[in-house]
Amino acid sequence: MSTQHDLIVIGAGPGGYVAAIRAAQLGLNVACIEKESALGGTCLRVGCIPSKALLESSELFEQTSGHFAERGIKLKGVELDLPQMLEQKDSTVTSLTQGVAGLFKKNKITRYEGHAQLQGGGKVVVKKGRDETIELAGTHILIATGSVPATIPNVKIDGDRVVSSTEALTFEKVPETLAVIGAGAIGLEMGTVWRRLGSKVTVLEYLDRILPGMDGELAKQALKVFKSQGLNFQLGVKVTGVKPGKKDCEISIEGQSSIKAERVLVAVGRKPNTQNLGLDTANIETDARGFIPVNDHYQTTAKGVYAIGDVIGGAMLAHKAEEEGIACVERIATGYGHVNYNAIPAIVYTSPEVASVGKTEEQLQEAGVKYKKGSFPFAANGRARAIGHTGGMVKILADEKTDRILGAHILGPHAGDLIAELAVAIEFHASAEDVARASHAHPTLAEAIKEAALAVDKRTIHI
Ligand code: NAD
């Protein structure tokens, strides 16, 4: 006999657990299956949250190791206590994953621990250990199994010398040298953490630029800043293999001599996580790259089975998965649900942060859209000067005729928080003039957004 639920969610990452909570709020009887004992998925356990804890700690370490003197604060004998730094990261993760368990209880969501396998016809089995099996039946089933690190030919992630982002969060000792393959968000964030803690870090990137997909002008500026901070870059290089040796790993690069590094971080993207999920049995198709195709309502090729988040492709971002999860279950429960993909921000949590929402200049040019551009440097913002973070700028792109904001990009202090205003502006179809006319408190970093909006109409006040 199988236990019946209105909705079975497979995977308790930000996509799955948020969808489960929203569905429960809407009155559905919801179950969530998760194979890990801790809820929260990659993001909470081994992704966004632990990496942000290490980014914060490593930045404090770097600042106290030198940068405080210029503010008249003299510190002596600053030392790195790496085990304690890792412990603080782990306890942050534990408190948050326990928080999700608390939310499940509060919302009366039934949690099953184990590996879910689709059986077709609305049935799912949960396997735990060797012999424990539970049979469930769901009127609706939502796949939210996320993604796993990808690699490239001849590069085997062994979790020790050649690692993915997961193990790069747990090095017990600061590697003397670290090679990072890929200059995307993971490569730059984790490369920055270990550089600040003392590693000599070299980022190897196939393209001739960093941060593919983000605004080119800002990526160029960011590259300059990261280089000045001590990150080494080799752009336009194709890594063709990694051989871990006794002391160092040997990294082969097409058309040039190989380089050596104590450890190698492979950050070349992620792939959909659908292993042993029973997709064939349930008649669920995947595309050539293994992603699950869905229609506008997140329905897969099997009736009653939906999919959201990294496993369906698109931007691999926790908040994108959350929006999709909510839209999907709202559609199931109320008949309406929608995601505005143009208003989903993307942030890289380096220092300075890089944040982006809507279209880049490259995308607008490619689509032949005529636009106006307004930018404002943080160097001309009073608060940025006071806090000593003057690098970077805000850039707003607006439709040439209607003035509607089409894209916004920020490189600078707290860019990740600042971009929220512009995501709301895009969501509300605001014009650059709308943002420019809104009062922004003084002295704040957000004034740089107002000034960039004024710059669209060529009337900045402070430059
Ligand atoms: P990515 O796709 O962002 O970047 C991978 C990079 O590796 C690309 O620039 C690519 O050109 C390069 N590359 C591929 N093959 C190569 C080779 N043979 N030699 C050299 N370079 C090569 O991937 P990522 O940084 O691993 O991140 C994975 C996913 O997780 C992304 O979708 C990312 O957006 C997401 N993520 C986001 C955040 C964030 O929002 N802050 C943080 C972590 C991860």
Side-chain angles (χ1 to χ4, degrees), residues 47-48 51-52 55 147 149-153 155 165 180-189 204-212 234 236-241 252 266-271 310 314-319 345-350 354:
C48 326
S51 62
K52 261 76 268 173
L55 277 159
S147 61
T151 187
I152 46 179
V155 179
S165 52
V180 175
I181 311 175
I186 294 181
L188 294 177
E189 289 180 5
L204 306 163
E205 167 57 49
Y206 178 69
L207 301 173
D208 59 2
R209 57 163 291 173
I210 63 168
L211 295 172
Q234 286 197 29
V237 295
K238 184 175 175 188
V239 173
T240 52
S252 322
V266 184
V268 295
R270 298 177 63 85
K271 57 182 184 185
D310 286 9
M316 290 187 163
L317 300 169
H319 48 284
I347 298 146
V348 182
Y349 297 87
T350 42
V354 195

Side-chain angles (χ1 to χ4, degrees), residues 340 342-343 357 404-405 420-432 434-435:
N340 178 1
N342 203 41
V357 64
R404 182 168 161 180
I405 298 177
E421 173 183 347
L422 292 158
V424 173
I426 288 182
E427 187 71 53
F428 279 71
H429 299 186
S431 63
D434 289 330
V435 173

Side-chain angles (χ1 to χ4, degrees), residues 362-437:
E362 292 80 1
Q363 285 169 333
L364 292 176
Q365 283 161 7
E366 206 176 302
V369 176
K370 294 222 161 59
Y371 62 93
K372 301 179 284 182
K373 167 176 160 179
S375 52
F376 189 83
F378 281 104
N381 171 274
R383 184 65 178 278
R385 286 204 165 259
I387 64 172
H389 289 283
T390 50
M393 65 170 180
V394 179
K395 169 161 121 177
I396 294 178
L397 307 171
D399 186 277
E400 193 181 79
K401 264 205 189 127
T402 64
D403 195 40
R404 182 168 161 180
I405 298 177
L406 304 172
H409 309 278
I410 308 178
L411 171 72
H414 301 282
D417 294 305
L418 293 172
I419 201 75
E421 173 183 347
L422 292 158
V424 173
I426 288 182
E427 187 71 53
F428 279 71
H429 299 186
S431 63
E433 186 183 348
D434 289 330
V435 173
R437 286 197 181 276

Side-chain angles (χ1 to χ4, degrees), residues 98-420:
Q98 285 171 352
V100 177
L103 291 172
F104 270 20
K105 247 189 212 146
K106 179 184 156 202
N107 288 283
K108 301 189 175 47
I109 294 161
T110 312
R111 191 255 155 109
Y112 295 96
E113 191 177 331
H115 181 95
Q117 217 170 38
L118 296 154
Q119 304 291 299
K123 296 261 175 3
V124 182
V125 293
V126 186
K127 294 182 178 172
K128 194 180 178 191
R130 275 221 180 136
D131 4 79
E132 206 184 315
T133 306
I134 304 169
E135 276 186 28
L136 304 178
T139 315
H140 307 279
I141 296 168
L142 174 57
I143 302 171
T145 47
S147 61
V148 288
T151 187
I152 46 179
N154 306 317
V155 179
K156 190 174 176 292
I157 296 173
D158 62 18
D160 176 23
R161 312 288 299 285
V162 185
V163 303
S164 72
S165 52
T166 303
E167 299 85 20
L169 294 164
T170 59
F171 290 154
E172 285 157 5
K173 138 179 177 311
V174 179
E176 250 171 58
T177 46
L178 172 69
V180 175
I181 311 175
I186 294 181
L188 294 177
E189 289 180 5
M190 293 316 297
T192 294
V193 165
W194 293 106
R195 176 197 61 72
R196 287 173 178 157
L197 300 181
S199 261
K200 193 168 178 303
V201 179
T202 304
V203 182
L204 306 163
E205 167 57 49
Y206 178 69
L207 301 173
D208 59 2
R209 57 163 291 173
I210 63 168
L211 295 172
M214 289 193 107
D215 188 85
E217 186 185 4
L218 258 70
K220 220 184 224 173
Q221 275 200 20
L223 175 65
K224 261 194 207 154
V225 180
F226 299 148
K227 276 185 179 168
S228 73
Q229 292 172 341
L231 268 184
N232 302 303
F233 285 89
Q234 286 197 29
L235 300 183
V237 295
K238 184 175 175 188
V239 173
T240 52
V242 175
K243 259 195 219 141
K246 260 197 184 146
K247 187 174 175 290
D248 282 326
C249 302
E250 188 173 347
I251 302 137
S252 322
I253 297 172
E254 195 174 82
Q256 68 179 67
S257 36
S258 59
I259 65 161
K260 290 195 163 148
E262 189 184 323
R263 302 229 196 196
V264 179
L265 164 61
V266 184
V268 295
R270 298 177 63 85
K271 57 182 184 185
N273 181 21
T274 54
Q275 239 194 348
N276 289 328
L277 198 55
L279 293 184
D280 285 347
T281 319
N283 284 321
I284 296 169
E285 284 168 18
T286 52
D287 68 15
R289 291 159 66 211
F291 291 104
I292 301 177
V294 291
N295 68 10
D296 284 354
H297 312 314
Y298 304 101
Q299 240 167 10
T300 67
T301 45
K303 196 169 171 278
V305 185
Y306 305 79
I308 54 127
D310 286 9
V311 82
I312 66 167
M316 290 187 163
L317 300 169
H319 48 284
K320 174 255 191 193
E322 289 180 23
E323 297 303 337
E324 289 177 343
I326 287 176
C328 177
V329 300
E330 286 188 344
R331 167 93 197 169
I332 290 170
T334 70
Y336 184 77
H338 175 71
V339 177
N340 178 1
Y341 286 97
N342 203 41
I344 293 184
I347 298 146
V348 182
Y349 297 87
T350 42
S351 179
E353 292 179 346
V354 195
S356 169
V357 64
K359 301 279 186 261
T360 62
E361 277 202 76
E362 292 80 1
Q363 285 169 333
L364 292 176
Q365 283 161 7
E366 206 176 302
V369 176
K370 294 222 161 59
Y371 62 93
K372 301 179 284 182
K373 167 176 160 179
S375 52
F376 189 83
F378 281 104
N381 171 274
R383 184 65 178 278
R385 286 204 165 259
I387 64 172
H389 289 283
T390 50
M393 65 170 180
V394 179
K395 169 161 121 177
I396 294 178
L397 307 171
D399 186 277
E400 193 181 79
K401 264 205 189 127
T402 64
D403 195 40
R404 182 168 161 180
I405 298 177
L406 304 172
H409 309 278
I410 308 178
L411 171 72
H414 301 282
D417 294 305
L418 293 172
I419 201 75

